[in-house]
Amino acid sequence: MPTILVAPAGRNVGLTSVCLGLVHAFERKGVRVAFVKPIAQPADGTADRSRSLVAAGTNLHPPEPIARVTADEMLGDNRDQDLMEMVVAVCQKAAKGADVLVVEGMVPDAGMVHATRVNSLMARALDAELVLVCTPAGLPPATVVEGVHIAANGFGLDRPAALVVNRVGDTGRGLLHEPHREDEAEDLAPVQARYRELATAEGLKLVGFIAADEDLALPRVADVADAIGASFLSVGDASRRVRHVALAGMTVPFALDLFRPETLVVVPAGRDDIVMAASLSAIDGVKLAGLLLSGSTDPDGRILKLCRPALGSDLPVLRVPGGAFDTALAIGRANLEIPVDDRERLQATMSTVANALDQDWLNQLAGAKRERRLSPPAFRYALIERARAAKRRIVLPEGTEPRTLKAAAICHEKGIAQCVLLGIPDEVRSAAEKAGVKLPGSVEILDHRSLMDEFIPILCEFRKKKGLTPEQAREALADTIMPGTMMVKLGKADGLVSGAVHTTAHTISPALQIIKCAPGMALASSCFFMCLPDQVVVFADCAVNPDPTAEQLADIAIQSADSAIAFGIPARVAMLSYSTGASGTGADVDKVVQATKLAQERRPDLLIDGPLQYDAAVMMDVAKSKAPKSKVAGQATVFIFPDLNTGNVSYKAVQRSANAVAIGPMMQGLDMPVNDLSRGCLVDDIVYTIALTAIQAEQAAARKKSGAVAKG
């Protein structure tokens, strides 16, 4: 099993971020990876930050590290090898059941003068592959690489070290300076080529080149408050990001330019005019990060009462006793590293680092190719990559919804799909501006009203058996979901995603009326991709069919198995019941027995078994007792619930109690993809659903092409 020691070649290189990204890169490849920080960094006995961040950002539970005071005492007594025996023991404990072990080395600080010595000892004791992390910090590449070469020689290893260059292009502007403009971005491709050339010349292998990303450094308002000891007059949405800190001491006309999204405005508490102007700006939809009142003077209660509508709009209002200028300086000096509870920033950092690592090097470390479990990171990564390759056009009827707008922007930035926002263009752009979303020029905004004249006669033709009149068609098309569905039906879009502000029925009903089921499909159903700690499984049907018949349940099982296979999950289908085998009787069990038989007859190529109780389906020891001859029991990956009531309750119970991510529901059986969102969805949920839809669209196109060839 490869062991990778990640060590710093300098100070403040972002060592923990690189370790997190390395773990994430292996996870999304389906490699069983473990992490350990063998020796705790804090000398005061507080929890090691690296271990806490890994536990928060992954499903790993690294073992407790050796206490720093213990390590210091042993090193002071020249008991180096005794300490290394303890290090090896901790690492072996962490690596149990893993394919790759990532070990974070010690970071040099004021009290850890022997960090380099300890890292060298660990590299040899663990027979580890050495990865050295550096940051340019304004120095030329030749100087940086020479310093890494010297550091590598100090380890005395008989094989070359790998090099990760972190935070390339970091301007060091901080929150007190104007945000970095896109037109100031440097082309880093030549810089990367130069680093690779210099590293090769020094016997190093460049395996990571990570550009500085201003977004990854943005703290939340709550983090700034903690760092400077501010109190809240109104908490509001304290999770808002702070991109810029502005000191407002001028008159209102000049201060207006400071009221921009993600700006924390610092203002003396006595400046009632600025406080009211900022509050009006927030009411108008400008998403300020917050308002920070400074000074010993208490804000006028009457003014705060006037500003109450702004406080009700989630605007955080903070208070500090110091002066405005000193407060701004304190923010600039504050340590605003990633807090353990900031999962959004943590996940973004992990993904950014993972994307910047050499994939061939990772594959080499992971060893020979083999069938791997599909972990949640691997599943999500595969979704994005396959959606990119599909290059599909997805229509989003909820064109003014803030989360949808941000998701559309992300999809275009990452090349996931070509998004079409339906709505009145001025309203869509205004909603984006108020939400602080910069829509790329490639995002199409389509006025659904412009489609009326074309779609009315077509819709009347589609629904002529129902007697739909042109007036009724016009009324139906006034709702953006119907014209969006028509676009999919007519090939003007490849798929549709909606539901952030609409019910499931509102999203799905037009699809059932217009798009209908694919050839050979008797019904439409849904499935969830349940991201459990160690793998992704499929739950169905949890959203559409209330009480399916045995024939319908068999269809749902086959659809769900095909969905699993299509998304890289091996299909072992468990038909769930309160009975395993012939242990129970009754109409409910009989339905599952019949459905299992029908599904097996229709698709003998699939592994389908039932009835199975849930524990018999997932636990090998229970399976050996209750269903010893089953090829599904104990290792099921697709779970078919007997009815909607059971399925919906079960998926929500697993989601909430096991802290599992549920991606979906994904519609199955439709001729073209239309997918629903939860009204409580996050931006990431929408992004992944768009990716799912793009992949489904690719599969639908392939199915139709195959059918056309067969007919020909």
Side-chain angles (χ1 to χ4, degrees):
M1 181 193 69
T3 298
I4 306 165
L5 175 66
V6 186
R11 293 181 178 271
N12 301 318
V13 299
L15 192 71
T16 301
S17 296
V18 172
C19 287
L20 284 163
L22 187 56
V23 168
H24 188 61
F26 281 123
E27 278 192 319
R28 68 188 191 185
K29 285 180 175 291
V31 175
R32 293 176 296 181
V33 61
F35 170 86
V36 66
K37 177 79 179 263
I39 301 174
Q41 197 73 51
D44 59 2
T46 56
D48 185 88
R49 188 168 175 276
S50 299
R51 179 174 178 267
S52 299
L53 283 171
V54 168
T58 71
N59 290 313
L60 302 179
H61 300 283
E64 286 282 351
I66 301 163
R68 167 76 173 277
V69 63
T70 300
D72 287 349
E73 289 174 356
M74 296 178 77
L75 291 167
D77 293 339
N78 291 319
R79 296 168 57 201
D80 294 1
Q81 295 309 307
D82 290 342
L83 176 60
M84 288 304 106
E85 287 180 17
M86 294 177 66
V87 167
V88 169
V90 172
C91 291
Q92 287 182 344
K93 182 178 180 181
K96 187 176 181 181
D99 299 317
V100 176
L101 175 64
V102 175
V103 181
E104 181 177 331
M106 302 300 295
V107 176
D109 58 34
M112 190 64 175
V113 295
H114 41 250
T116 302
R117 174 184 163 203
V118 171
N119 289 337
S120 179
L121 288 168
M122 288 197 296
R124 291 193 292 271
L126 299 170
D127 192 27
E129 301 291 332
L130 177 63
V131 177
L132 290 172
V133 183
C134 69
T135 185
L139 297 173
T143 303
V144 175
V145 174
E146 176 60 20
V148 176
H149 175 61
I150 294 171
N153 286 341
F155 281 79
L157 301 179
D158 58 0
R159 53 184 175 273
L163 168 63
V164 172
V165 186
N166 195 18
R167 298 175 183 162
V168 182
D170 186 2
T171 62
R173 292 168 180 260
L175 298 176
L176 300 184
H177 294 82
E178 286 294 318
H180 187 70
R181 298 203 315 267
E182 290 182 5
D183 59 2
E184 296 176 336
E186 178 186 1
D187 181 8
L188 296 178
V191 181
Q192 183 175 7
R194 179 60 175 157
Y195 269 104
R196 181 173 287 108
E197 176 187 2
L198 291 166
T200 301
E202 295 289 5
L204 302 167
K205 179 177 176 59
L206 181 67
V207 300
F209 186 83
I210 307 165
D213 186 342
E214 185 176 86
D215 287 348
L216 300 181
L218 302 184
R220 300 166 299 188
V221 173
D223 303 329
V224 175
D226 288 342
I228 65 173
S231 58
F232 280 92
L233 292 178
S234 176
V235 176
D237 181 8
S239 65
R240 289 183 178 181
R241 298 287 170 186
V242 180
R243 186 177 298 275
H244 177 50
V245 175
L247 185 57
M250 64 291 285
T251 58
V252 169
F254 293 97
L256 293 178
D257 289 339
L258 302 177
F259 302 151
R260 290 172 290 180
E262 299 183 303
T263 297
L264 178 63
V265 179
V266 182
V267 59
R271 289 297 304 272
D272 299 335
D273 53 341
I274 301 291
V275 173
M276 287 191 290
S279 299
L280 286 171
S281 180
I283 294 170
D284 193 48
V286 177
K287 202 168 183 178
L288 294 171
L291 191 61
L292 177 54
L293 308 181
S294 65
S296 57
T297 304
D298 290 327
D300 192 316
R302 294 170 299 175
I303 299 299
L304 292 179
K305 185 176 180 180
L306 283 174
C307 298
R308 191 172 295 160
L311 304 184
S313 69
D314 292 334
L315 175 69
V317 180
L318 298 82
R319 181 83 164 87
V320 289
F325 183 75
D326 290 338
T327 297
L329 290 179
I331 295 173
R333 292 191 298 264
N335 180 356
L336 296 172
E337 295 179 318
I338 303 175
V340 173
D341 66 342
D342 192 348
R343 289 185 60 85
E344 180 183 3
R345 189 173 163 197
L346 183 57
Q347 293 292 335
T349 298
M350 291 167 65
S351 294
T352 297
V353 174
N355 291 339
L357 297 175
D358 185 318
Q359 300 302 306
D360 291 337
W361 173 71
L362 292 169
N363 291 335
Q364 182 183 353
L365 286 173
K369 290 184 178 180
R370 59 177 178 82
E371 182 179 335
R372 302 188 185 281
R373 64 180 175 84
L374 188 65
S375 67
F379 178 72
R380 294 192 297 265
Y381 179 71
L383 281 185
I384 300 303
E385 292 303 304
R386 290 179 63 185
R388 282 174 176 159
K391 300 183 184 302
R392 292 291 159 172
R393 191 166 186 252
I394 306 301
V395 62
L396 308 175
E398 297 166 328
T400 58
E401 202 282 318
R403 292 165 295 175
T404 301
L405 289 164
K406 189 165 186 180
I410 291 171
C411 285
H412 279 249
E413 289 165 3
K414 295 185 176 182
I416 294 170
Q418 170 68 44
C419 294
V420 181
L421 294 167
L422 290 189
I424 299 171
D426 287 345
E427 293 181 359
V428 173
R429 295 188 186 97
S430 176
E433 184 178 352
K434 287 184 177 181
V437 176
K438 183 177 181 181
L439 289 174
S442 57
V443 174
E444 182 180 352
I445 301 173
L446 180 60
D447 193 333
H448 62 287
R449 298 173 301 179
S450 67
L451 303 171
M452 284 277 191
D453 292 341
E454 177 186 358
F455 284 179
I456 285 175
I458 300 174
L459 182 57
C460 287
E461 178 64 22
F462 285 158
R463 303 287 289 165
K464 65 181 179 181
K465 290 184 179 179
K466 297 294 183 181
L468 189 73
T469 66
E471 291 75 19
Q472 291 171 329
R474 182 177 296 277
E475 183 179 351
L477 289 165
D479 184 330
T480 54
I481 292 178
M482 181 59 84
T485 305
M486 291 286 290
M487 288 177 65
V488 176
K489 174 66 175 179
L490 298 174
K492 296 177 182 292
D494 298 305
L496 178 147
V497 173
S498 184
V501 291
H502 290 94
T503 64
T504 295
H506 199 137
T507 296
I508 301 304
S509 292
L512 296 175
Q513 295 168 1
I514 304 301
I515 295 175
K516 301 185 178 179
C517 292
M521 297 291 175
L523 83 167
S525 66
S526 72
C527 72
F528 279 91
F529 293 97
M530 302 298 296
C531 298
L532 305 178
D534 294 323
Q535 65 175 332
V536 178
V537 298
V538 174
F539 279 17
D541 178 2
C542 305
V544 177
N545 296 287
D547 189 16
T549 64
E551 290 78 8
Q552 291 173 332
L553 201 58
D555 285 341
I556 293 169
I558 292 169
Q559 290 176 0
S560 302
D562 286 340
S563 292
I565 294 168
F567 287 91
I569 300 170
R572 293 183 288 272
V573 183
M575 307 294 286
L576 297 177
S577 173
Y578 61 78
S579 167
T580 294
S583 65
T585 59
D588 291 337
V589 176
D590 292 342
K591 181 175 79 169
V592 177
V593 171
Q594 186 181 354
T596 302
K597 184 178 179 180
L598 288 170
Q600 291 169 339
E601 290 173 350
R602 293 175 189 173
R603 289 292 297 275
D605 58 308
L606 295 173
L607 289 177
I608 303 173
D609 199 6
L612 290 172
Q613 291 165 288
Y614 192 88
D615 58 352
V618 299
M619 300 177 67
M620 191 57 73
D621 56 343
V622 177
K624 289 178 180 178
S625 171
K626 292 187 174 184
K629 296 181 180 180
S630 174
K631 295 181 179 180
V632 172
Q635 52 185 344
T637 56
V638 179
F639 299 84
I640 307 303
F641 295 93
D643 53 55
L644 180 60
N645 184 48
T646 309
N648 193 271
V649 169
S650 298
Y651 108 77
K652 287 185 180 294
V654 172
Q655 180 188 31
R656 301 303 179 186
S657 300
N659 196 29
V661 175
I663 298 178
M666 184 185 83
M667 291 297 295
Q668 308 173 128
L670 290 174
D671 195 35
M672 300 181 77
V674 169
N675 282 312
D676 181 40
L677 298 164
S678 164
R679 277 169 285 176
C681 63
L682 302 176
V683 172
D684 279 352
D685 298 329
I686 303 176
V687 170
Y688 287 123
T689 302
I690 291 172
L692 278 173
T693 307
I695 297 168
Q696 282 185 296
E698 180 77 1
Q699 294 164 350
R703 183 186 69 243
K704 291 181 179 182
K705 182 178 180 181
S706 176
V709 171
K711 288 181 181 179

